[in-house]
């Protein structure tokens, strides 16, 4: 299934309202859990960004340790 921005918006709205059912046009889908919905949302965003020629955003975490390092 090719996802659209409307699919993403519908899923985000359902997550924000706390419901597990989402209507996509003439179809209604009921998910088993919030984590399943979040996983699908991530996949949808990735596919829509890929179709638009955008690279997915990456998170970078930098760590800093102060001190001499001797224990």
């Amino acid at each position: 299934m090719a996802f659209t921005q409307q699919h993403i918006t519908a899923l985000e709205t359902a997550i924000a309202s706390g419901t597990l059912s989402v209507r996509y046009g003439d179809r209604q889908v009921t998910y088993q859990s919030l984590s399943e919905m979040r996983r699908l949302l991530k996949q949808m965003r990735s596919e829509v960004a890929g179709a638009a020629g955008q690279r997915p955003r990456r998170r970078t975490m930098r760590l800093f340790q102060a001190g001499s390092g001797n224990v």
Side-chain angles (χ1 to χ4, degrees), residues 9-67:
T9 303
L11 188 55
E12 287 173 335
T13 302
I15 289 171
S17 67
T19 61
L20 294 177
S21 294
V22 181
R23 181 166 291 281
Y24 301 108
D26 59 344
R27 289 182 11 176
Q28 182 165 339
V29 179
T30 302
Y31 296 97
Q32 294 180 357
S33 66
L34 180 59
S35 62
E36 179 185 9
M37 294 171 79
R38 288 182 174 156
R39 249 189 331 271
L40 179 61
L41 181 59
K42 185 176 179 179
Q43 178 184 349
M44 285 178 168
R45 286 177 176 159
S46 176
E47 288 185 20
V48 168
Q54 300 171 350
R55 290 180 31 202
R57 296 175 66 189
R58 294 186 178 199
R59 289 187 180 164
T60 302
M61 182 181 278
R62 300 188 191 276
L63 301 175
F64 175 78
Q65 181 176 356

